[in-house]
Amino acid sequence: QQQVKQSPQSLIVQKGGISIINCAYENTAFDYFPWYQQFPGKGPALLIAIRPDVSEKKEGRFTISFNKSAKQFSLHIMDSQPGDSATYFCAASMGSNGTALIFGKGTTLSVSS
Amino acid sequence: EPEVTQTPSHQVTQMGQEVILRCVPISNHLYFYWYRQILGQKVEFLVSFYNNEISEKSEIFDDQFSVERPDGSNFTLKIRSTKLEDSAMYFCASSGSSGGTNTQYFGPGTRLTVL
């Protein structure tokens, strides 16, 4: 019940295309869903996050779509650029400070020019 | 922009030795965390710490591990007797004020290699 399932494991997208990464969870107590971007040899960097009271959140080229009834959420990267090539992790937590982030297994995105 | 820092960036140790990994969280944050990432795998929660106490820990965080905030700025993870399977990247993270959302900011990590 603590798992967060992420797909696909890897993704290749043409420059300018849309990258879509999906995550699913089981624990209905989760109420905070961040996405992290990680470059090789670096720590995860917070990209965007959503709470379940909204169905969509957009920040620049990055959008989270959230489906509470399906217990799924996804990251959309519009106009994908080679600089977006990285590993993306979805995560979930109970929301309040001090609680564990439960991470998905990650998606390695390659944007070809 | 404030950031979490970690030292050392790379630590090599012999099996059975003790290691201490150090972190300086963002200065006004109150919650501190350790995570690990075995090469090519997902990030796994180890422990969270608030008000000089462990708030939550995972089953990975057994008696070999301990955490401490020895002063007003540092947060440490000690592994008493390292095993080969402890080889991983260890990330420190911190988050802000009481009652706020669980927005955790990660440091650059320490790569621990156990030989």
Side-chain angles (χ1 to χ4, degrees):
Chain A
Q1 250 210 331
Q2 282 290 84
Q3 275 190 326
V4 176
K5 295 182 180 179
Q6 183 172 347
S7 64
Q9 186 175 351
S10 62
L11 184 60
I12 300 174
V13 172
Q14 295 274 2
K15 180 181 173 183
I18 302 173
S19 305
I20 302 173
I21 305 170
N22 301 298
C23 284
Y25 64 98
E26 294 179 0
N27 189 344
T28 55
F30 288 149
D31 65 355
Y32 175 69
F33 303 90
W35 284 89
Y36 282 83
Q37 180 188 56
Q38 185 180 34
F39 293 103
K42 304 293 184 184
L46 179 66
L47 196 59
I48 186 172
I50 198 167
R51 303 203 74 147
D53 51 348
V54 297
S55 60
E56 187 175 281
K57 183 174 181 180
K58 184 175 180 180
E59 289 184 3
R61 296 185 294 110
F62 301 93
T63 300
I64 300 179
S65 297
F66 188 85
N67 186 331
K68 188 173 181 178
S69 60
K71 292 185 282 187
Q72 294 175 348
F73 58 111
S74 59
L75 176 69
H76 296 234
I77 306 174
M78 312 300 287
D79 187 26
S80 299
Q81 299 296 312
D84 296 331
S85 298
T87 300
Y88 293 81
F89 292 95
C90 63
S93 81
M94 306 291 184
S96 59
N97 268 308
T99 56
L101 287 175
I102 308 302
F103 282 84
K105 289 189 174 182
T107 296
T108 302
L109 171 66
S110 296
V111 181
S112 60
S113 53
Chain B
E1 182 177 317
E3 58 183 16
V4 177
T5 59
Q6 290 185 242
T7 55
S9 58
H10 191 190
Q11 175 88 47
V12 181
T13 190
Q14 295 289 329
M15 189 170 57
Q17 295 297 303
E18 174 183 288
V19 295
I20 297 175
L21 310 182
R22 291 181 167 81
C23 167
V24 178
I26 293 173
S27 62
N28 62 344
H29 282 182
L30 301 176
Y31 297 83
F32 316 116
Y33 313 81
W34 284 102
Y35 291 81
R36 79 172 186 190
Q37 185 178 32
I38 295 170
L39 186 64
Q41 298 187 25
K42 68 177 178 179
V43 179
E44 298 175 291
F45 171 76
L46 294 178
V47 66
S48 62
F49 191 84
Y50 170 72
N51 199 26
N52 283 320
E53 289 184 349
I54 290 175
S55 304
E56 185 180 354
K57 61 181 181 178
S58 72
E59 56 193 27
I60 302 170
F61 193 87
D62 61 21
D63 291 343
Q64 293 283 69
F65 292 90
S66 62
V67 288
E68 190 179 28
R69 187 152 165 83
D71 55 43
S73 60
N74 290 283
F75 179 52
T76 63
L77 174 70
K78 182 192 291 186
I79 309 174
R80 286 191 186 80
S81 178
T82 50
K83 305 170 191 168
L84 294 176
E85 54 264 37
D86 293 328
S87 294
M89 282 289 286
Y90 288 81
F91 294 105
C92 174
S94 69
S95 66
S97 57
S98 179
T101 52
N102 196 16
T103 302
Q104 297 182 23
Y105 296 91
F106 284 72
T110 293
R111 179 172 299 284
L112 176 64
T113 301
V114 182
L115 303 176

